[in-house]
Amino acid sequence: MLNLQSLILPQAGRYLAPLSCSSSISRRSSMAPPILSLALPSGTGRVLSIQSHTVQGYVGNKSAIFPLQLLGFDVDPINSVQFSNHTGYPTFRGQVLDGQQLWDLIEGLEANGLLFYTHLLTGYIGSVSFLNMVFQVVDKLRSINPDLIYVCDPVLGDEGKLYVPQELVSVYKKVVSVASMLTPNQFEVEQLTGLRITSEQDGLEACNLLHATGPSKVVITSLLVDDTLLLIGSHQKTKGEAPKQFKIVIPKIPAYFTGTGDLTTALLLGWSNKYPDNLERAAELAVSSLQALLHRTVDDYKAAGFDPQSSSLEIRLIQSQDDIRLPQESEGVHAILDSTQRRVVQGDSSNVRGSQKIPCLLKSVLGKIMEDKWHHNPYLAHQ
């Protein structure tokens, strides 16, 4: 792995040199101090997070940055879009970044020696030019740190509908090839593999197809089979060998939430860093945090006199920081290694609060630019 300190300590030493005259003092006062996230890097890692941003609410980067920071990461955000609020509201305003604007930011970081990252995280991206540039960003980051871990949430759509231009599907197939971890939902897996998923076995086979394209870790964050909601994970530790696969059975919560897909991927990144060879453990912890947050969200809406089934809900992220930092073990969750060596993680939903019931993992509504809003909003559609 590239030695981060070898890149920055000579420069940092320049700032720490003893001063012997007034000219030295003047010279030092005009120089910028060292970037401590580089000079004294977090033992956890440094993440470049490229996804959406809203002024109000917790979706995209607003949903991912805070949890990653709680888990010990330094996080630098680039906002693929900047909106007043998520697109589930009656109206929204804002800007969409294009590919050249993304590259300008990358070049600015590089020019100042700031482009060393341990992780890259990408989420909602609304234009072909921007997504094409992400592929180049991965190459650039890996030229500086060959061990860069790229976690890709290929936000395409949900429930049988695309909410990005169709052209992004083919571009994502190229981007997926350089990802370390992929976190699609059921619809996105079908788009990326061409496989119709109607069973758990289909989901596992889809993971195998995605492993063949590049990523060693695949987590299908929501898969509905016979009215049962599953999370399916697969870790191929060595190319060409059978992956270790597992599932988490997810009892449904009768409510819809914004920002949960973005949060789930961030938590999977964070806990996978702590347990790099134990994806099922990372998934258990991520889901435990998420379900505690969603139950708090539902309870708080009820306390405010609002029916949580009447509209999509803004998650209670800040109020759930203890659940993110120190997720509680789920009493009803246990692991079984079956005859095919797939690790099966099951949950007991008999006690919502006491057993930390595992909830539905839903994609962010910010990503859900419905076809009517998409096709009637030239500001978005033609970027």
Side-chain angles (χ1 to χ4, degrees), residues 93-145:
R93 297 289 186 272
Q95 301 82 38
V96 179
L97 212 65
D98 63 28
Q100 185 55 54
Q101 290 168 324
L102 169 61
W103 194 248
D104 287 344
L105 295 173
I106 296 299
E107 288 186 324
L109 290 169
E110 184 180 27
N112 289 288
L114 303 174
L115 209 54
F116 184 97
Y117 292 96
T118 59
H119 297 76
L120 171 65
L121 170 63
T122 61
Y124 173 76
I125 293 168
S127 73
V128 171
S129 70
F130 194 100
L131 186 56
N132 273 318
M133 194 59 72
V134 166
F135 191 77
Q136 297 184 42
V137 170
V138 175
D139 281 347
K140 173 63 73 174
L141 295 181
R142 283 192 172 143
S143 72
I144 297 170
N145 177 15

Side-chain angles (χ1 to χ4, degrees), residues 2-318:
L2 188 62
N3 188 331
L4 175 57
Q5 292 199 352
S6 70
L7 293 177
I8 48 80
L9 285 182
Q11 184 180 22
R14 191 178 67 209
Y15 304 130
L16 300 176
L19 302 178
S20 58
C21 64
S22 60
S23 61
S24 296
I25 295 174
S26 175
R27 186 164 55 252
R28 179 175 179 180
S29 66
S30 67
M31 298 169 65
I35 304 301
L36 290 182
S37 63
L38 291 172
L40 300 173
S42 163
T44 306
R46 189 165 185 252
V47 180
L48 179 63
S49 181
I50 305 176
Q51 49 188 314
S52 56
H53 170 85
T54 58
V55 176
Q56 193 281 327
Y58 293 98
V59 297
N61 267 330
K62 286 280 290 288
S63 186
I65 294 171
F66 181 62
L68 286 170
Q69 290 171 330
L70 286 176
L71 294 177
F73 291 87
D74 286 310
V75 186
D76 292 345
I78 293 179
N79 301 325
S80 58
V81 303
Q82 178 169 270
F83 290 160
S84 56
N85 44 266
H86 69 66
T87 59
Y89 283 87
T91 64
F92 63 94
R93 297 289 186 272
Q95 301 82 38
V96 179
L97 212 65
D98 63 28
Q100 185 55 54
Q101 290 168 324
L102 169 61
W103 194 248
D104 287 344
L105 295 173
I106 296 299
E107 288 186 324
L109 290 169
E110 184 180 27
N112 289 288
L114 303 174
L115 209 54
F116 184 97
Y117 292 96
T118 59
H119 297 76
L120 171 65
L121 170 63
T122 61
Y124 173 76
I125 293 168
S127 73
V128 171
S129 70
F130 194 100
L131 186 56
N132 273 318
M133 194 59 72
V134 166
F135 191 77
Q136 297 184 42
V137 170
V138 175
D139 281 347
K140 173 63 73 174
L141 295 181
R142 283 192 172 143
S143 72
I144 297 170
N145 177 15
D147 294 323
L148 175 87
I149 295 172
Y150 173 28
V151 178
C152 175
D153 182 5
V155 180
L156 292 168
D158 204 358
E159 298 179 347
K161 298 178 181 178
L162 285 169
Y163 41 74
V164 296
Q166 176 68 45
E167 293 80 7
L168 262 72
V169 176
S170 59
V171 181
Y172 258 119
K173 290 179 180 179
K174 180 176 71 170
V175 172
V176 162
S177 68
V178 297
S180 310
M181 178 190 292
L182 200 65
T183 63
N185 62 25
Q186 181 173 356
F187 174 74
E188 290 158 351
V189 169
E190 293 177 338
Q191 293 294 309
L192 293 172
T193 64
L195 181 65
R196 175 69 173 165
I197 300 177
T198 59
S199 67
E200 177 187 339
Q201 188 57 45
D202 290 341
L204 296 172
E205 177 58 28
C207 289
N208 291 335
L209 293 174
L210 291 170
H211 284 315
T213 66
S216 61
K217 295 178 181 179
V218 178
V219 178
I220 304 176
T221 56
S222 57
L223 174 61
L224 188 62
V225 177
D226 297 328
D227 205 38
T228 298
L229 194 65
L230 305 174
L231 176 149
I232 288 182
S234 185
H235 185 190
Q236 187 179 50
K237 296 184 180 181
T238 304
K239 208 67 175 174
E241 293 187 359
K244 188 175 185 180
Q245 298 182 312
F246 64 93
K247 70 178 179 182
I248 297 178
V249 179
I250 307 173
K252 299 177 185 177
I253 290 178
Y256 287 87
F257 307 87
T258 61
T260 54
D262 312 313
L263 174 58
T264 300
T265 297
L267 292 172
L268 286 168
L269 185 161
W271 289 115
S272 291
N273 188 70
K274 184 174 179 62
Y275 299 100
D277 295 320
N278 195 342
L279 182 59
E280 60 271 30
R281 178 61 177 156
E284 288 174 358
L285 291 167
V287 170
S288 292
S289 289
L290 182 63
Q291 61 80 38
L293 177 147
L294 294 189
H295 282 299
R296 176 172 286 101
T297 299
V298 169
D299 289 348
D300 285 356
Y301 272 101
K302 289 180 178 178
F306 184 81
D307 178 5
Q309 298 187 47
S310 64
S311 179
S312 61
L313 309 180
E314 301 268 13
I315 59 174
R316 299 285 278 173
L317 187 68
I318 305 303

